[in-house]
Structures are given as C-alpha cells and as structure tokens.
C-alpha cells in the first residue's frame, strides 16, 4: 500500500459532524433484529448473567472497527479489494463468500423481525415484506450515499426506545450487580448464547460496510480523529442498546420466575407487556424492532452488493446509475426479493436469529484474521505495529478462540 503521509488534523466538533456517519450507521445496524432477539433470549434464559459480556465487548468492538477506519482512510479501497490485492483472487472470493453468507443470514433475520412486527399490528407478512422491499429499492435509486446514511440514522434512532423499555422494567441494581458476576461457564446452553452474543456484536459484514462507506464518503487520513470518535460513539451506543434489551427481559421475566425460551416476536412482547402495559410494551418494542431491522437490512444488503461488485472489478457506488453498475444493483435487488420470499414462507425467528449469530462467531477467524494482517501492511505512521499491535492481536485472538469455542461447545456440548 502506498499513500502520502498526511497527519490527521486536531479533533473539532464541526469536522466531526461532517465526517460522522459510517461508524454510527454500522453500529446501529449491529443492534439488528438478530441481536435484539439474542439479547432478549439471553435475559429471558439467564437473567443478568450475560450483562457483563455486553460491557466487555465495547472496547473489542471499537478496536476491530477502528482498523477498518484506518484501512479505508489510508488506502481509499474496500476490504475485498485489499484482500484481492495482497492475498490474491482466491482468498478474496473466500472472504466474499463468507460475507455473502452472513449478509443473507442477517437479511433473513431483519425481514423476519419486520414481518413479526407486522403480524403484531395486524398486517400480513407478505404485505409488510413487499412494502419493505419496495422502499429499499426506491432508497437505493436516490443515487447518493449521504441520503442513504441520513435515512439509516433516522430510522435506526428508534432503537433508543429500548432504553425506555429497560427503565420501565424497574430493574434492581443489586440484583443486576450480583447477576452479572454469576457466570455458569460450564453449561453448554449458556456457552451457546455467549457465542451468539459475540457473533451478534462482532459481525463480518460490519468490517466490509464501514470500510466501503469510509471510501465512498471520501474520508481521508486528515479525518482519522473524527472518524475514530464516530466509531467510539457508535460502539458505546450499540452495546447500551443490547444491554437495555437484556435488562428489560431479565427484569420482567425474572419477576415471573423460571427459565424462559422465547420462540417468536409475539412471545417476547407478550412476556414484557404484563410489566410495561399492553399498549406501551407493544408500541415501544415494535418501534425499536422496526428501527433495528430496517437500518440493518439497508446495511447488509448494500454490503453484499458492494463487495461482490468490488471483487468482480465492477462499479459499486450509490452515485452510479443502474445501467452503469448492473452487478451492484442487480444483486441488491435479487437479495432483497429472495430473502423476502423465504421469510414469507414462514421461519422460526428466534432459532434463525441465534443460529445466524453463532455462525458469525464461527466465521470470525477468517474475517478478523484478514483485518489484522491488512492493518499490519499499512504504510509507516498508520501501520498497526508495536505494543498496540500486540495488544490488538491478543484481543482478536482471545475473541476468536472464545467465540468459536463457545459456539462449538454450545452446539455439541
């Protein structure tokens, strides 16, 4: 990689507001339907035992995504293009195949979440899915990353209602503190949800999306301070939302007593509404789920389409017309339609969501391995090196090993 060494400018709020977006969008998408379901299932089955994990994952999430910021700002290239450049076409296709599997799995959970909300409001799933697909196709044709970014942030902001849900559940602080340090580390069912939570937070498509968005938005090394702050704000926000969902279900279902396995959106809402009120519980959860599912559906579909076109050497920007970027727009449309049809046929949302997150954790060695190696190949002042490189490598290794071990132990334990 070659680039002129341009030092980042000092941080200022005006520049931050101009640069901010990719980090916040990808983090709002990180708290997607599958993540919300995983957090809810965690609180329902294990109370506050997985709450500490949500906090521990904040710095890990930032470290991973900060490397994508560096790669995009320094090289001006997407993640797949860099893998292709440094490791060859075969490895690039492996990374793309991994990405597409995780993106399609995530898109299925987003559509299933939206269909579940539609069912709660009395709207048939086919109607809900048709409206969502039409809206997302129209959005892509607006020809501008900035427009899509604003839409994603506006819709994703609805996720903040989960904080209100958690407060209305009136969790006990002493109970939260004692529960958070009660860790049944030898229980396979617990380990499965540990793996699912790691996979729900460190997702392969996040690396690809944020790096491509950094490039498409024109963020350079001068903007690194602001871009890093954008990522840090997003990392804290997404984990606060995850913790809020876990706390809400732990507090409400803990009062009811017993170990609860939730199989549908309706069951989750039904579990918390006795404590929050039928109207309030349903309204708040639906708003949060719509925000989580919609912003994530936008991000994962764009990521898959961008990356496939990128490795093929085809045009892949939202500013391009469909006739100029047929691979990008074609795959974008096909992915939406196929996943909508699959979800319309009926799937178990909870099993699908947890399964997709475990799959994400099992694929972390490929994604984080390439990320670390590419960051080690950056030029001079931006290269991952020294003590920080050792610390990053150790954190990534521990995350990968723990995520894979938990997933395998949970599945076959």
């Amino acid at each position: 990689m070659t680039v002129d060494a341009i030092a980042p400018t000092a941080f200022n709020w005006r520049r931050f507001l101009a640069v901010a977006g990719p980090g916040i969008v990808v983090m709002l998408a990180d708290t997607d339907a599958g993540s919300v379901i995983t957090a809810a299932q965690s609180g329902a089955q294990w109370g506050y035992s997985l709450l500490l994990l949500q906090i521990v994952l904040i710095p890990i999430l930032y470290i991973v995504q900060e490397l994508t910021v560096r790669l995009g700002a320094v090289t001006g290239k997407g993640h797949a293009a860099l893998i292709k450049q440094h490791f060859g076409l075969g490895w690039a296709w492996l990374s793309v195949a991994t990405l597409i599997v995780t993106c399609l799995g995530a898109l299925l959970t987003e559509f299933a979440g939206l269909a579940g909300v539609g069912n709660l409001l009395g709207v048939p799933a086919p109607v809900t899915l048709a409206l969502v697909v039409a809206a997302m196709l129209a959005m892509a044709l607006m020809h501008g990353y900035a427009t899509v970014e604003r839409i994603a942030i506006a819709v994703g902001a609805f996720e903040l209602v989960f904080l209100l849900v958690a407060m209305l559940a009136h969790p006990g602080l002493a109970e939260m503190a004692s529960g958070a340090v009660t860790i049944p580390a030898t229980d396979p069912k617990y380990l499965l949800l540990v793996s699912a939570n790691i996979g729900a937070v460190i997702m392969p498509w996040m690396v690809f999306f944020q790096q491509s968005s950094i490039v498409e938005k024109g963020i350079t090394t001068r903007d690194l301070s602001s871009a890093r702050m954008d990522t840090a704000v997003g990392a804290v926000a997404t984990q606060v939302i995850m913790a809020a969902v876990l706390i809400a279900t732990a507090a409400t279902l803990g009062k009811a007593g017993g170990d609860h396995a939730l199989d549908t959106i309706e069951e989750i809402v039904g579990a918390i509404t006795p404590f929050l009120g039928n109207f309030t519980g349903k309204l708040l959860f639906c708003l949060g789920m719509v925000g989580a599912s919609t912003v994530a559906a936008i991000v994962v579909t764009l990521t898959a389409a961008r990356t496939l076109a990128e490795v093929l050497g085809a045009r892949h920007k939202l500013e391009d017309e469909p006739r100029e970027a047929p691979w990008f727009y074609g795959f974008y449309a096909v992915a939406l339609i196929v996943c909508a049809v699959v979800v319309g046929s009926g799937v178990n949302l909870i099993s699908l969501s947890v399964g997709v997150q475990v799959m994400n954790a099992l694929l972390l060695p490929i994604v984080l391995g390439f990320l670390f190696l590419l960051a080690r190949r950056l030029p001079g002042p931006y290269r991952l090196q020294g003590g920080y490189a050792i610390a990053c490598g150790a954190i990534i290794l521990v995350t990968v090993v723990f995520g894979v071990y938990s997933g395998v132990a949970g599945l076959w334990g």
Side-chain angles (χ1 to χ4, degrees), residues 315-373:
R315 298 179 69 165
H316 53 274
K317 291 188 176 182
L318 286 162
E319 285 77 7
D320 297 328
E321 297 285 342
R323 66 176 181 277
E324 298 171 328
W327 278 103
F328 171 66
Y329 285 102
F331 186 79
Y332 181 88
V334 168
L336 288 175
I337 294 169
V338 169
C339 288
V341 170
V342 171
V343 171
S345 66
V347 292
N348 183 313
L349 172 59
I350 308 303
S351 297
L352 173 66
S353 299
V354 174
V356 168
Q357 310 315 334
V358 172
M359 177 186 68
N360 287 339
L362 295 177
L363 292 175
L364 284 178
I366 297 173
V367 178
L368 297 188
F370 277 126
L371 179 66
F372 181 78
L373 293 174

Side-chain angles (χ1 to χ4, degrees), residues 152-176:
I153 291 176
V155 175
F158 283 115
E159 295 177 41
L160 296 175
V161 303
F162 287 126
L163 303 182
L164 181 57
V165 172
M167 287 187 288
L168 290 174
H170 302 296
L173 294 180
E175 186 182 358
M176 286 173 57

Side-chain angles (χ1 to χ4, degrees), residues 196-220:
N197 275 276
I198 293 173
V201 175
I202 313 294
M203 299 192 188
W205 48 261
M206 295 175 65
V207 171
F208 288 81
F209 177 83
Q210 189 167 0
Q211 188 168 331
S212 294
S213 295
I214 290 286
V215 174
E216 191 158 349
K217 194 166 184 176
I219 294 173
T220 68

Side-chain angles (χ1 to χ4, degrees), residues 15-42:
R15 189 58 190 160
F16 170 74
L17 293 175
V19 169
I24 293 174
V25 169
V26 79
M27 298 301 183
L28 287 174
D30 186 28
T31 319
D32 67 346
S35 297
V36 169
I37 297 303
T38 299
Q41 190 79 319
S42 298

Side-chain angles (χ1 to χ4, degrees), residues 373-413:
L373 293 174
L374 288 171
R376 292 282 291 161
R377 297 189 177 203
L378 283 171
Y382 308 108
R383 182 180 301 122
L384 182 62
Q385 56 189 333
Y388 187 64
I390 295 172
C392 283
I395 289 171
I396 287 173
L397 179 62
V398 170
T399 303
V400 166
V401 170
F402 196 56
V404 171
Y405 167 76
S406 299
V408 172
L411 288 171
W412 285 284

Side-chain angles (χ1 to χ4, degrees), residues 22-345:
I24 293 174
V25 169
V26 79
M27 298 301 183
L28 287 174
D30 186 28
T31 319
D32 67 346
S35 297
V36 169
I37 297 303
T38 299
Q41 190 79 319
S42 298
Q45 291 190 274
W46 295 101
Y48 300 109
S49 293
L50 285 156
L51 182 58
L52 184 60
L53 178 63
Q54 309 305 327
I55 299 170
V56 170
L57 285 170
I58 293 174
I60 298 174
L61 179 58
Y62 171 78
I63 286 170
V64 168
Q65 294 303 121
E66 188 274 336
L67 295 181
T68 74
V69 171
R70 288 198 212 190
L71 290 171
V74 173
T75 68
K77 294 182 178 181
H79 202 66
L82 287 183
I83 293 174
K84 181 179 178 181
Q85 175 185 335
H86 287 274
F87 301 102
L89 185 60
W91 287 110
W93 274 114
L94 174 63
S95 68
V96 170
T98 300
L99 173 72
I100 290 176
V101 168
T102 60
C103 283
L104 293 179
L107 187 56
L108 287 172
T109 66
E110 316 320 336
F111 279 178
L114 290 167
V117 170
N119 288 334
L120 279 173
L121 301 177
V123 181
V127 175
T128 300
L129 294 169
L131 290 173
V132 171
V133 170
M136 290 185 62
L137 289 173
M139 180 203 66
L141 294 173
M142 290 179 179
H143 304 309
Y145 171 77
T147 301
V148 172
E149 185 181 272
R150 293 189 193 104
I151 292 172
I153 291 176
V155 175
F158 283 115
E159 295 177 41
L160 296 175
V161 303
F162 287 126
L163 303 182
L164 181 57
V165 172
M167 287 187 288
L168 290 174
H170 302 296
L173 294 180
E175 186 182 358
M176 286 173 57
S178 62
V181 295
T182 303
I183 302 173
T186 59
D187 192 309
K189 292 181 180 179
Y190 178 82
L191 290 174
L192 186 65
L193 275 174
V194 168
S195 179
N197 275 276
I198 293 173
V201 175
I202 313 294
M203 299 192 188
W205 48 261
M206 295 175 65
V207 171
F208 288 81
F209 177 83
Q210 189 167 0
Q211 188 168 331
S212 294
S213 295
I214 290 286
V215 174
E216 191 158 349
K217 194 166 184 176
I219 294 173
T220 68
T221 52
R222 292 186 183 277
D223 305 312
L224 276 175
S225 297
S226 295
R228 284 167 173 157
M229 178 63 75
D230 176 42
T231 302
V233 169
V236 173
T238 188
Q239 288 310 102
V240 167
I241 293 168
M242 283 282 286
V245 175
L246 187 151
I247 289 169
T249 53
T252 53
L253 296 179
K255 292 176 182 177
D259 177 14
H260 297 264
L262 305 173
D263 295 320
T264 65
I265 288 289
E266 290 85 353
E267 286 189 14
I268 293 175
V269 175
I272 64 176
T273 49
F275 307 95
L276 306 182
N278 185 63
F279 176 78
T280 301
K282 182 182 290 186
L283 174 64
L284 293 180
F285 193 89
C286 286
L287 285 174
M289 182 60 78
V290 166
S293 299
T294 304
V295 68
I298 292 170
V299 168
V300 298
T301 314
L302 283 176
T303 302
R306 274 175 173 171
T307 306
L308 180 63
E310 186 178 87
V311 81
L312 289 170
R315 298 179 69 165
H316 53 274
K317 291 188 176 182
L318 286 162
E319 285 77 7
D320 297 328
E321 297 285 342
R323 66 176 181 277
E324 298 171 328
W327 278 103
F328 171 66
Y329 285 102
F331 186 79
Y332 181 88
V334 168
L336 288 175
I337 294 169
V338 169
C339 288
V341 170
V342 171
V343 171
S345 66

